[in-house]
Amino acid sequence: MAILRFHALKQTLERVPIYIEEKERRSSIFGSNVFNESTMRQYLTKSAFTEVMDAVLKGTKIDRLVADHISTGMKEWAISKGATHYTHWFQPLTGATAEKHDAFFDTIGEGAAIEKFGGGELVQQEPDASSFPNGGIRNMFEARGYTAWDPTSPAFIYGTTLCIPTVFVSYTGEALDYKTPLLRALQAVDSAAVAVCKYFDKNVKKVNASLGWEQEYFLIDKALVASRPDIVATGRTLLGHSSAKGQQLDDHYFGTIPNRAMSFMRDLEHECMLLGIPAKTRHNEVAPNQFELAPIFEEANLAVDHNSLLMDLMHKIAERHHFKVLFHEKPFAGVNGSGKHNNWSLSTDTGVNLLAPGKTPMSNLQFLTFFINTIKAVNDNEELLRAAIASASNDHRLGANEAPPAIISVFIGDQLTKVLSELKNVTSGKLSPEEKTELKLNVVGKIPEIMLDNTDRNRTSPFAFTGNKFEFRAVGSKANCANPMTVLNSIVARQLIDFKSEVDVLIEKKEMKKDDAVFNVLREYIKKSKNILFEGNGYGDAWEKEAKKRGLSNNKSTPEALKVRVSKKVIDLFDGLGVMNRVESEARYEIEMDEYVHRIELEGRVLSDIAKSRIVPTAVRYQNVLIENVKGLKDIYGASFKKMAKEQLLLIEDISKHIEAINSNVTKMTEERRSANQEEDVEKKALAYFYKVIPMFSEIRCHCDKLELLVDDELWPLTKYRELLFTN
């Protein structure tokens, strides 16, 4: 195996950047492989175009006859771009995208053929759903599932395939994907936000949730990855001693991008332009060989699709450049992990960002309304937000190396904290003219000036306000953004509905003016949400103790975090909004818990295999070399050889101790794993893996990593951290 390691290093060192020539301006090719509004105007009839746009903007259904016209135009466009196949592109609960390709080709008899793609093929298909996660929604023999076209996310061409974004549901109608609940949550927050906006502007008819994700990732040469069976199987290193040089010098962050990585990025960004993904920012991240890509903000559903598509693209393009992209949240111990910050806001069809201050007291009151309601939503549902970012891989990242902790809190900055403090002291009931004037001129009216200096300096906050948006930083790099976005938009929708109800009661029954009613409700929300606001460092026992006093949850493991998903409160929340019914909520809980168990079980089996079949034999081989050396010294020096061989003898003894510890801990871990698998209840099984199996990982790793320092470098079978992180 050591031969493979050195062969991989040789291959990596001989790589040269693959130059990507960009002949056209990015603006001129942007979206050229997307069936967007501009393309539809060229290929669709006026009535068909109108129906599609009404579906996108108003949520109306597309007539089946009109769908035939749309499919004809879409087919002609796709074929003109070189497409030969089409697929319903969807996002099942596997964490990956799915597609089944069908050719436009069809026979018509007598040796003749045509290109065929009708409205039926566009609108709905029936893929075999038997092997996708379903959480008990259907029996194994009930293989049918349905994909249905989502016109709000435009079709696109990748390679020679027309990809049609779709939802995926069971034959009984329950959602089997990430997109369906997200679309329902976006509809709920749209309706709730519009109702509140009408307090301030009667012309608002629609509110869109926007999302700007920041994708962090590692780029490792594929030959080096092939020499590490743990990375190949699990996406992360299960063992490996830390490199002497890591990120402690801060010399990688925002540094000059390595040539090979730059070539990969340029290739990726070119494909992004063709597919309408508005890639904007690229840079080195904190850890060695870690990078980030961020786009311009988009409507949330489209942004989620684009992020899923991007991750697919990155894998394919990395292969061209002899790289492997690692999306695991913590592929390397001791250096920063990777997140996917979700920057979220709400905007009206009149062009107003509801989380950005305006130029007048009224517009700022609108800003404060949505700002405070979002904080209140997080305060009341912090445990659910933690569940939204829970996974076996993200558990490794949270609370380590600058990543946010597992405790959800909100950071808003000192200046806005002072504003809320002022508002908290507003008189109960009707405000006097003097107080209202003072409030609007000296508190609400000055928010734009305050915001100029409200820079976010707290990198550890899991949920931070950053000027005109909230940034959900605890989301993991592997995650599908739809999950946290479904939760966030749902809890805000519920909160806005409750807010409007409370304000209306004060207006109608207490005969308050609108402004007075709004201020009174917001004042109470500020008081009730004070525990979720935290400006300090999210690390350490001090914050954990303080969070416990405040009543905030601290679910450090995925099994503990996910339990809230099947609580009555959460099931009623989703069901009441029409986002997910009880069956769908319970199914997702089962799926995510099963996923956790399978991930840990896989890692345990891989670690056992590497430790017993690679590390131990290598240690024994080196030990034999030392034994032969001691024998040689004895032959030369006779009885006094022990003085000459003192260090070798100690080394032989140390190696034996580590070998014994590895073998005994692997045996113990295997027994604990078998015991956990006997549990029929998925929660008990997951908790057994967390409390009994996972602790054995660090025990085994510790002894393997000690051996890495003792064994001759030329014999060591696994590519080392210094090689993985600094060879590019």
Side-chain angles (χ1 to χ4, degrees):
M1 287 305 298
I3 295 174
L4 176 58
R5 171 189 160 206
F6 290 114
H7 179 68
L9 284 167
K10 183 175 182 295
Q11 273 191 295
T12 303
L13 292 170
E14 290 175 350
R15 308 275 197 214
V16 294
I18 299 173
Y19 182 69
I20 303 300
E21 185 178 2
E22 296 181 85
K23 296 180 179 179
E24 301 172 272
R25 290 188 179 186
R26 295 188 172 189
S27 58
S28 66
I29 63 171
F30 183 73
S32 58
N33 283 351
V34 181
F35 198 64
N36 51 27
E37 184 175 338
S38 174
T39 304
M40 285 192 288
R41 289 183 184 276
Q42 297 178 49
Y43 283 87
L44 299 185
T45 62
K46 185 175 181 180
S47 60
F49 173 78
T50 300
E51 284 239 12
V52 175
M53 295 310 297
D54 283 347
V56 172
L57 299 175
K58 302 176 184 177
T60 58
K61 290 187 176 181
I62 294 174
D63 184 85
R64 204 57 177 260
L65 292 175
V66 177
D68 284 328
H69 294 293
I70 297 168
S71 64
T72 299
M74 194 181 290
K75 177 193 70 177
E76 292 305 314
W77 168 74
I79 291 174
S80 74
K81 302 284 288 184
T84 58
H85 289 69
Y86 64 91
T87 183
H88 275 201
W89 184 80
F90 57 102
Q91 299 166 47
L93 299 172
T94 57
T97 59
E99 52 195 63
K100 181 190 74 169
H101 298 193
D102 287 303
F104 290 122
F105 171 85
D106 200 7
T107 58
I108 56 175
E110 298 183 356
I114 58 171
E115 279 89 16
K116 182 183 177 183
F117 179 62
E121 289 88 350
L122 168 63
V123 173
Q124 181 177 304
Q125 285 193 335
E126 294 185 26
D128 183 348
S130 60
S131 294
F132 289 113
N134 65 87
I137 285 178
R138 52 154 190 76
N139 295 313
M140 286 302 293
F141 61 83
E142 295 164 338
R144 280 184 300 165
Y146 297 103
T147 51
W149 176 35
D150 170 21
T152 64
S153 184
F156 57 91
I157 294 171
Y158 186 66
T160 59
T161 304
L162 170 66
C163 301
I164 303 157
T166 60
V167 299
F168 180 46
V169 298
S170 72
Y171 79 105
T172 51
E174 285 88 9
L176 292 174
D177 66 342
Y178 287 109
K179 180 186 276 281
T180 304
L182 174 65
L183 291 173
R184 295 169 181 167
L186 294 174
Q187 186 176 18
V189 80
D190 172 21
S191 175
V194 166
V196 173
C197 280
K198 290 191 179 295
Y199 285 141
F200 308 98
D201 184 354
K202 299 291 186 183
N203 296 316
V204 174
K205 296 178 181 177
K206 185 172 181 59
V207 171
N208 284 317
S210 64
L211 169 63
W213 39 262
E214 301 168 28
Q215 182 67 61
E216 294 177 344
Y217 61 97
F218 282 83
L219 272 183
I220 307 296
D221 189 277
K222 68 178 185 179
L224 299 181
V225 170
S227 71
R228 291 289 306 222
D230 47 356
I231 300 180
V232 171
T234 71
R236 77 178 181 105
T237 54
L238 297 174
L239 44 79
H241 199 279
S242 60
S243 170
K245 183 179 188 295
Q247 64 186 50
Q248 67 268 46
L249 299 180
D250 299 322
D251 53 346
H252 189 258
Y253 190 49
F254 280 21
T256 302
I257 299 172
N259 290 335
R260 284 185 63 204
M262 177 64 83
S263 294
F264 161 80
M265 291 176 181
R266 291 182 64 190
D267 198 355
L268 173 63
E269 290 166 3
H270 178 76
E271 293 289 347
C272 285
M273 292 302 105
L274 295 175
L275 292 167
I277 302 173
K280 177 76 172 176
T281 302
R282 65 189 181 203
H283 63 83
N284 289 2
E285 256 301 331
V286 176
N289 275 346
Q290 186 187 33
F291 307 94
E292 180 180 296
L293 180 149
I296 296 170
F297 282 50
E298 298 180 284
E299 185 276 325
N301 177 48
L302 182 59
V304 168
D305 280 0
H306 277 168
N307 183 249
S308 296
L309 176 57
L310 176 91
M311 290 194 287
D312 285 347
L313 278 175
M314 290 174 78
H315 282 306
K316 293 173 182 176
I317 293 169
E319 185 69 24
R320 292 206 291 255
H321 293 262
H322 306 291
F323 278 126
K324 179 72 176 177
V325 176
L326 303 184
F327 289 122
H328 193 288
E329 283 81 358
K330 197 73 171 177
F332 303 103
V335 297
N336 275 25
S338 297
K340 178 151 45 192
H341 299 180
N342 278 210
N343 295 278
W344 171 88
S345 190
L346 296 171
S347 299
T348 70
D349 58 346
T350 58
V352 175
N353 179 348
L354 296 171
L355 289 174
K359 297 179 180 179
T360 66
M362 180 58 75
S363 63
N364 286 331
L365 181 56
Q366 178 175 262
F367 156 71
L368 285 170
T369 295
F370 284 90
F371 176 68
I372 294 169
N373 270 282
T374 300
I375 294 171
K376 176 70 160 48
V378 174
N379 180 78
D380 294 353
N381 298 278
E382 47 89 14
E383 204 167 5
L384 179 55
L385 274 180
R386 167 65 179 98
I389 48 93
S391 70
S393 52
N394 207 24
D395 281 356
H396 292 288
R397 165 180 168 259
L398 295 177
N401 297 99
E402 296 187 15
I407 303 167
I408 300 297
S409 63
V410 179
F411 173 90
I412 62 173
D414 293 339
Q415 296 295 338
L416 281 172
T417 298
K418 292 176 183 177
V419 170
L420 297 195
S421 181
E422 294 275 357
L423 292 174
K424 186 174 65 176
N425 297 321
V426 169
T427 302
S428 179
K430 296 179 181 179
L431 279 69
S432 67
E434 294 78 15
E435 185 178 17
K436 190 179 291 187
T437 300
E438 174 74 13
L439 192 66
K440 287 188 174 180
L441 291 180
N442 295 328
V443 180
V444 178
K446 289 187 176 180
I447 288 176
E449 298 171 29
I450 290 171
M451 297 301 290
L452 291 175
D453 296 319
N454 189 48
T455 52
D456 172 21
R457 297 182 180 89
N458 191 333
R459 291 170 61 96
T460 66
S461 174
F463 198 87
F465 184 70
T466 55
N468 59 2
K469 62 189 182 298
F470 278 98
E471 186 175 2
F472 194 8
R473 292 175 172 156
V475 181
S477 53
K478 277 176 61 178
N480 187 309
C481 297
N483 201 7
M485 283 297 102
T486 296
V487 169
L488 181 55
N489 285 289
S490 295
I491 64 175
V492 171
R494 179 72 267 166
Q495 178 55 47
L496 291 173
I497 291 169
D498 293 344
F499 170 77
K500 186 175 188 305
S501 176
E502 291 183 51
V503 171
D504 286 348
V505 166
L506 293 181
I507 293 173
E508 295 165 11
K509 294 187 177 180
K510 300 290 185 179
E511 297 183 350
M512 283 189 188
K513 290 184 179 180
K514 179 184 64 180
D515 288 6
D516 289 353
V518 169
F519 276 125
N520 270 265
V521 175
L522 293 181
R523 180 195 66 235
E524 295 307 308
Y525 285 176
I526 294 168
K527 293 177 181 178
K528 292 175 181 177
S529 302
K530 68 180 186 302
N531 286 339
I532 201 71
L533 298 175
F534 179 62
E535 306 296 303
N537 191 328
Y539 296 131
D541 294 337
W543 168 229
E544 291 194 12
K545 290 177 182 177
E546 174 63 21
K548 187 175 182 180
K549 288 181 185 177
R550 297 184 182 199
L552 302 178
S553 65
N554 184 13
N555 295 319
K556 295 184 178 181
S557 75
T558 289
E560 293 165 326
L562 290 177
K563 195 172 181 179
V564 72
R565 278 196 172 276
V566 286
S567 66
K568 184 179 186 303
K569 175 185 174 182
V570 170
I571 288 174
D572 289 348
L573 165 73
F574 287 132
D575 199 17
L577 293 171
V579 173
M580 287 187 284
N581 59 33
R582 174 180 287 274
V583 171
E584 291 169 322
S585 290
E586 291 176 345
R588 273 160 175 72
Y589 171 75
E590 292 281 337
I591 290 167
E592 291 177 14
M593 289 290 266
D594 275 337
E595 164 80 4
Y596 177 84
V597 168
H598 292 322
R599 290 286 179 190
I600 304 304
E601 181 182 33
L602 172 62
E603 290 188 354
R605 295 179 68 177
V606 171
L607 180 56
S608 296
D609 174 62
I610 295 174
K612 295 198 73 172
S613 67
R614 304 192 184 206
I615 303 304
V616 169
T618 300
V620 170
R621 191 176 303 120
Y622 182 57
Q623 196 176 45
N624 288 336
V625 172
L626 293 173
I627 290 170
E628 289 301 315
N629 178 259
V630 171
K631 286 180 179 179
L633 290 173
K634 184 177 181 181
D635 290 340
I636 295 172
Y637 295 102
S640 64
F641 85 95
K642 287 186 178 180
K643 180 179 179 181
M644 309 299 296
K646 179 182 176 182
E647 295 301 325
Q648 291 92 321
L649 289 169
L650 288 174
L651 196 51
I652 290 170
E653 187 177 342
D654 283 348
I655 290 172
S656 291
K657 289 178 181 177
H658 291 307
I659 290 173
E660 189 279 329
I662 290 170
N663 285 329
S664 63
N665 281 307
V666 165
T667 300
K668 185 177 178 181
M669 181 178 68
T670 302
E671 291 170 353
E672 293 290 0
R673 198 172 68 238
R674 287 172 180 165
S675 176
N677 287 337
Q678 297 301 311
E679 294 283 359
E680 293 187 3
D681 180 79
V682 69
E683 181 184 343
K684 291 181 179 178
K685 182 184 290 188
L687 288 171
Y689 265 95
F690 177 71
Y691 284 110
K692 300 292 186 179
V693 178
I694 288 181
M696 305 307 302
F697 286 17
S698 58
E699 290 292 328
I700 296 167
R701 177 173 190 156
C702 175
H703 293 286
C704 289
D705 291 355
K706 292 290 186 182
L707 285 175
E708 183 181 329
L709 293 178
L710 299 178
V711 172
D712 184 351
D713 183 66
E714 291 191 7
L715 293 179
W716 194 252
L718 301 179
T719 303
K720 298 187 176 184
Y721 264 39
R722 67 170 186 266
E723 297 156 351
L724 291 167
L725 292 173
F726 293 98
T727 310
N728 49 41

